[in-house]
Structure formats: C-alpha cells, structure tokens
Amino acid sequence: MLLILLSWIYIIILASIAGISLNKYLGITKTDDLTTIFHGFFSITIFASIWAIFSGLNAIFCIVLSLSTAFLFYLNRKECLSHFLRFKEDIVKLDSFFKLILIGVSILILAQCASAPTLPDNESYYIQTILWLNEFGFVKGLTNLHLFLGQTSGWHILQSAFSFSFIYPNFNDISGLCLLLGNVFAIVALQKFIKSHNRNKTLLYLGLLPVFNCFLFPFISSPSPDLAVIILLAIVVFKFITNYKACSKDELLSVVILTAFLIFIKVTAIVCLIFPFVLFIKHHKANKKHSIIIGSIYTTVLLLMITKNIIITGNALYPLFDFDTFKTSWSLPKNISSYFSSYGNAYGYGISTTVYETSSIVELLKYWINYTGIDGYINKCMVVLLLVFAFFLKHKTFRIIYGVTIIQLVLLFYTSPQFRFYLPFFIVLVLLVLSRVFWKKFVIKFMLICSILLCFGFIFIPSLPGKTKTSSFHLKNIIEPYSNSKYPLEYKTITTNNATLNIPVGIDFFWGTGNTPIPALNEQQLDYFKTYYNVLPEQKSSNLKDGYILKSTKQ
C-alpha cells in the first residue's frame, strides 16, 4: 500500500503539471483541478503513444517524461502551485463526515490495489500488453502471437508509462488511482450539493458515484480500461448536463479532451462523441471559432489509433472493420480474424460460435437476457432500468443520454453485448435515477456508509457469498503490493519454427499467460491454432521488435 501511495503521489504531480500545460496551450483558463489531472493523463498518453511507435516505455522514457514535466513546471510554476493549493483546500474544506469517508475509501482502494488481482483479462493480456510496451513499444504483428494483444488500449499505454518496471515489478494500479480521483470528485460535489440552497441534483448525480465502489473494486487491482471508461463517462455526463444550456469554450474543450481520451481507451465508447457534438451544435455561434482545435484533438487521437492498429494488427480499423484493402503482410489470416470476431460476438451472448451463426435476432436477445451468472443478472437489470428510466425523460439532457445509451446497446448487439461494455451507461442511468429519488441528507450518508462496509467485506472477508476466490489481503501488503498476477511465476521455454516461446505452467485457461516473461503463449492456445488452423507464430527476425507473422505448418 505504501509503495502504491508513493507512486500515486508522483503520478498526480506529473499529471497535474501536464494537464495545466495542456490547458494553457489550448487556452483553457477555467476548469476544476480534478479534471485538469485527467487532462494530464490524456496528454501523457498521447506522448507515450508517439514514443511507443519507436521505442519501449522504459527507463529512458521515464527520465525524458520527468525532465519534460520539470521544465513545464518551471514555465507554469505559478499556475501549478495555485493548482496544488486549491486541490489541498478542496480536501481541507470537507466536513468531518466526508473527510472520514474519503480517508476510508482511500485506504480501502489502496488495500484492494495491494491485493491479488481478480480479472481474467489481466491474466490473458493486460500484463503481457504492458510488458511488451515497456520493453519494445508497439510491435509489428504482435496479434499473431496472441490475439488479445491487438486490443492494446490507451489505458494500457498510460499504465506502461507509470509502471516503473525498471525499478519495481509490481506497479499495476493506475485504475485504482482513477477510482480514487473519481471518488474525490464525487465527494467534493456531494458536499457542494448538501451545502447549496438550490440543491442542484446534477451535483448529487456525480456525488453518489462512491455508492458503486464495491462493484468497481474488482477492476482496480489491474489496469482495466472498463474502470477508466466508467469514471470518465460519469464526468463527461456531469459536464454535459451542467453545460447544456450555456457552454463556455473551456468546458467544451474539456468535454472534447475527455471524450477523445475515452475513445482512445476503448473504441466501443465512440458513441460518447454525441455529447460534445450536441454541445457544439447547440452553442455553435459562441464556439465555432474553436473548430480547428476540436478537430485537431480528435484527428491526433484518430491518427495514433490507426498507427497503433497498423503496427500491432496490420489492420488500420481494428477491431471495428476487417477490410482486405487495408491489410498488410503481417495481418491476421482471414480465417483466424473471422474466428476471433465470431468468438467475441458469441461470447457476448454466452453461446458457441456455431449457435450464434444460426440464431435469429430474437433468439440472440433471449440468449442475452438468459445469460448465466452475473452477466445475466446485469443484462436483466439493464432491461428493467431502461423501462424505469423512461419515466425520467422530462429533461432534454436525460432524453439525449437515454438515446445515446440505446445507440450503444444497438451497436453492441451487432458486435459483443458483454455487460462490461455497457456497464458505464448502466451506472450513469442508475446514478441519475438515484439523484432524483434519494436526496435526503441522512439517506445519502447511509448509502455511503453501506458502500464502505461492503468494500471492507469484499477485501477483508474472503468467504463472502458469491465472491470470486482470490488471495485475501495480507499484512505484508501494507508495504508491498501483491504480484501483478495471481498465478505463481512458473514457465517452460520451447521453440517452434524460429520463435522462442515461454509457456506458463499452472495457468489452465485457454488465453492465460499471467506474468510470464515475454514472449509468452499458453500451450492450449498454441496447440489449438496448430491443430485447427495449421499455423504457428514465427518471429520476423531475431529481434523481437521486428514482430511476428503466422506461418503455415503445411509448408
């Protein structure tokens, strides 16, 4: 916990300086200090992405980043010092109750981050993605080694920038910092709501975000893009509602930056572009002169996404489209890319690819609603929530948010309607409903206390019903966090064609690689593609930076 906290302090300082510098460059003169930190995350991610095209996010990168931010601090020292003082004052001004809540939440978030990670995706490709980024940056054809490595997210790039793997191997907690900042944002907003005379319920909407902490805790011990999307979307919707009637240049550009960041983190968040588009159109006369800045931000992100996709997957529009016209020599073979697409589609409905390909839309909807486990519960809750929210459409902003949610669901039904892809909108709708139903002070405090108790139980009571089996928090984790993987580091090394592969021992699920040194591949996956597709990964040269292709075993 202590080591994580120290790393977070350093990250917040760098992100604050980067955010202040970006604001100044874009002419943003007035925005809140927490949003400025997220602006900093965005600018550092952009810088790291450009660096990763040419080299790894290693010690040299961290030195350059630190020296650059030190120089920016010198240029903007007055603004930086004011930012840090205001940030401190926001915390100091909190009432005793909210200070205790914030302290409790902070300790619990640190404890969860220091515990064993729980997400399967962390073991299948989060860790490996960051290892590759730290060592080599973007690697040509890396998706030919492991299909999931093509899903490299802007959030993984940011985590790689702050993993400090050359100093210590177990930093993997940028999502925990994101949740903590979201909680600070929420608690400050909640106090403003309680103390305000007009009781602005938009403040209450954001202020109730900590109620969901227990549901978000499984995401924070690994660099989950889903967690980042949840927090950022909650802030974007807050800014959208607040600025719908009157939108300044500063707030519009802030929404543009945050939505660009959202898309770079997870392309399924592309529907969020509707929010800045509506604000821009509604306030076109006041903001049309900023069109070039807005276009430049989105163009920068688009070009980086295309570049990243071409290098890693050989497909400029991955994973949305798979056009042969845009293919490269290191692109996935058509039959394997089709398999991966069908696998993702079917997985979202909890069925096999064979059943998916022969099912009608009505049948697919039935499979989706009747999905087993937590997926099925949340799918059913989403249907109920859409019906309930229909009674809260008096406000035009609510109708727009509702419409964006529907568009998101429709798009997901044609791709992969996994609950974690629409969970951000689910949480937004629930928060909006709660803010219109529960506004009494004692009810709000009761919900916050219950949330704290549930989080405490999630971390410190490993036998809670329905809890994923994980290692519980240990006293030694007060200083040092658990390893980035819940699996022990055991592996064997084999050679296929000219490729040397590290095969994890003891990881028994198909895509699992854990914290195995790169290049890593699960033996089940290797055998499957060798048996059914007659291909094996092959290095393009002895230098891993040159990447991979898939070689036919029939030749």
Side-chain angles (χ1 to χ4, degrees):
M1 290 172 64
L2 179 59
L3 291 179
I4 293 172
L5 177 61
L6 292 174
S7 72
W8 284 358
I9 292 171
Y10 177 77
I11 293 169
I12 288 173
I13 292 171
L14 261 64
S16 297
I17 296 169
I20 290 165
S21 303
L22 178 64
N23 290 348
K24 192 171 183 179
Y25 177 76
L26 296 177
I28 298 174
T29 57
K30 187 179 180 182
T31 189
D32 63 88
D33 297 304
L34 284 160
T35 299
T36 295
I37 295 174
F38 284 107
H39 289 181
F41 282 167
F42 173 73
S43 58
I44 291 170
T45 303
I46 295 299
F47 176 60
S49 300
I50 295 171
W51 184 286
I53 295 171
F54 308 100
S55 182
L57 303 176
N58 48 28
I60 296 174
F61 167 80
C62 287
I63 291 170
V64 172
L65 178 62
S66 299
L67 291 175
S68 301
T69 49
F71 178 67
L72 291 172
F73 175 80
Y74 175 76
L75 293 178
N76 305 299
R77 54 192 178 277
K78 183 179 178 181
E79 292 88 347
C80 291
L81 291 173
S82 297
H83 163 85
F84 292 124
L85 287 173
R86 287 194 306 270
F87 189 85
K88 176 186 173 183
E89 288 173 4
D90 285 340
I91 305 300
V92 171
K93 287 179 182 178
L94 291 174
D95 291 343
S96 298
F97 174 80
F98 290 119
K99 283 180 182 175
L100 289 173
I101 290 293
L102 183 57
I103 291 170
V105 166
S106 301
I107 292 172
L108 290 171
I109 288 176
L110 282 166
Q112 175 62 14
C113 287
S115 302
T118 60
L119 292 182
D121 282 349
N122 184 62
E123 309 296 344
S124 61
Y125 77 100
Y126 291 175
I127 298 172
Q128 291 293 310
T129 296
I130 291 160
L131 288 174
W132 280 100
L133 286 169
N134 286 152
E135 190 71 24
F136 298 106
F138 299 148
V139 174
K140 190 179 292 184
L142 194 57
T143 191
N144 290 306
L145 175 65
H146 191 304
L147 292 179
F148 286 10
L149 294 177
Q151 301 178 97
T152 299
S153 161
W155 198 243
H156 298 140
I157 297 169
L158 182 64
Q159 175 65 76
S160 298
F162 291 126
S163 65
F164 313 118
S165 58
F166 54 92
I167 297 175
Y168 184 71
N170 295 343
F171 288 130
N172 204 34
D173 313 291
I174 195 69
S175 292
L177 177 57
C178 181
L179 181 60
L180 178 57
L181 292 172
N183 272 262
V184 175
F185 209 135
I187 290 170
V188 170
L190 196 53
Q191 174 155 296
K192 288 180 182 177
F193 168 78
I194 289 175
K195 294 203 167 192
S196 65
H197 296 293
N198 61 352
R199 290 297 184 95
N200 182 349
K201 291 182 179 178
T202 306
L203 288 171
L204 179 58
Y205 147 76
L206 187 61
L208 290 175
L209 181 61
V211 171
F212 276 94
N213 278 343
C214 187
F215 300 98
L216 302 181
F217 264 43
F219 294 95
I220 66 174
S221 51
S222 53
S224 168
D226 300 303
L227 186 283
V229 172
I230 288 167
I231 300 300
L232 287 171
L233 180 63
I235 296 172
V236 166
V237 169
F238 171 76
K239 287 181 173 291
F240 174 73
I241 297 173
T242 303
N243 296 284
Y244 182 74
K245 292 183 178 179
C247 186
S248 66
K249 169 198 171 183
D250 293 345
E251 288 301 312
L252 177 61
L253 290 182
S254 180
V255 172
V256 168
I257 290 169
L258 295 177
T259 51
F261 196 19
L262 272 169
I263 296 166
F264 200 21
I265 291 170
K266 208 168 187 69
V267 71
T268 53
I270 194 169
V271 295
C272 296
L273 285 174
I274 294 173
F275 296 122
F277 178 77
V278 169
L279 291 178
F280 181 78
I281 295 299
K282 185 172 175 58
H283 306 285
H284 181 258
K285 289 184 179 179
N287 291 302
K288 62 181 179 181
K289 57 186 175 182
H290 309 306
S291 301
I292 294 177
I293 297 176
I294 294 170
S296 299
I297 292 170
Y298 286 128
T299 300
T300 299
V301 169
L302 178 62
L303 289 175
L304 282 174
M305 290 178 68
I306 289 174
T307 303
K308 170 181 69 72
N309 287 343
I310 289 175
I311 295 173
I312 297 175
T313 72
N315 179 2
L317 301 177
Y318 183 91
L320 296 178
F321 302 102
D322 187 23
F323 297 135
D324 291 336
T325 310
F326 300 103
K327 289 293 185 72
T328 63
S329 61
W330 60 89
S331 298
L332 280 172
K334 184 71 175 178
N335 59 339
I336 294 180
S337 62
S338 297
Y339 157 79
F340 187 44
S341 177
S342 298
Y343 172 85
N345 293 342
Y347 185 82
Y349 292 96
I351 54 180
S352 67
T353 54
T354 304
V355 174
Y356 174 79
E357 291 167 357
T358 58
S359 298
S360 66
I361 294 177
V362 174
E363 289 172 331
L364 289 174
L365 286 173
K366 289 180 180 178
Y367 289 129
W368 181 76
I369 292 175
N370 295 315
Y371 205 119
T372 57
I374 188 172
D375 301 68
Y377 288 123
I378 296 180
N379 291 346
K380 293 178 182 68
C381 287
M382 188 63 185
V383 173
V384 173
L385 179 60
L386 290 173
L387 296 174
V388 170
F389 199 81
F391 294 97
F392 293 86
L393 298 180
K394 178 181 177 181
H395 302 286
K396 192 168 184 179
T397 52
F398 280 33
R399 294 198 291 273
I400 294 171
I401 294 165
Y402 189 72
V404 174
T405 304
I406 296 296
I407 293 171
Q408 171 78 321
L409 285 172
V410 171
L411 291 176
L412 289 177
F413 282 133
Y414 281 97
T415 53
S416 183
Q418 299 176 47
F419 82 88
R420 61 195 179 94
F421 293 163
Y422 67 78
L423 185 60
F425 283 96
F426 176 87
I427 290 175
V428 163
L429 295 187
V430 171
L431 289 175
L432 288 171
V433 171
L434 291 177
S435 68
R436 263 52 188 181
V437 177
F438 301 108
W439 64 85
K440 297 292 184 180
K441 186 176 178 180
F442 77 93
V443 176
I444 294 169
K445 289 186 174 182
F446 177 76
M447 287 194 290
L448 290 177
I449 292 170
C450 288
S451 175
I452 289 277
L453 294 175
L454 285 171
C455 291
F456 180 88
F458 181 86
I459 298 170
F460 297 109
I461 308 176
S463 59
L464 279 176
K467 180 181 175 181
T468 304
K469 184 178 180 182
T470 64
S471 299
S472 59
F473 180 82
H474 298 285
L475 287 177
K476 64 181 180 181
N477 299 138
I478 294 175
I479 304 297
E480 283 194 90
Y482 197 92
S483 170
N484 291 344
S485 173
K486 66 182 179 181
Y487 294 104
L489 183 56
E490 298 178 22
Y491 64 95
K492 61 183 179 181
T493 302
I494 65 171
T495 300
T496 61
N497 291 339
N498 72 335
T500 299
L501 301 172
N502 296 319
I503 306 295
V505 175
I507 300 180
D508 57 358
F509 74 100
F510 187 85
W511 305 104
T513 47
N515 207 17
T516 305
I518 58 174
L521 192 64
N522 192 286
E523 196 161 22
Q524 294 181 52
Q525 183 183 344
L526 180 69
D527 292 341
Y528 180 87
F529 285 100
K530 180 181 178 181
T531 302
Y532 294 100
Y533 292 92
N534 301 303
V535 292
L536 287 171
E538 180 177 279
Q539 292 173 209
K540 298 190 74 175
S541 76
S542 59
N543 184 357
L544 290 180
K545 175 66 176 175
D546 292 333
Y548 289 85
I549 59 172
L550 282 174
K551 190 80 171 179
S552 175
T553 58
K554 291 183 177 181
Q555 296 178 359

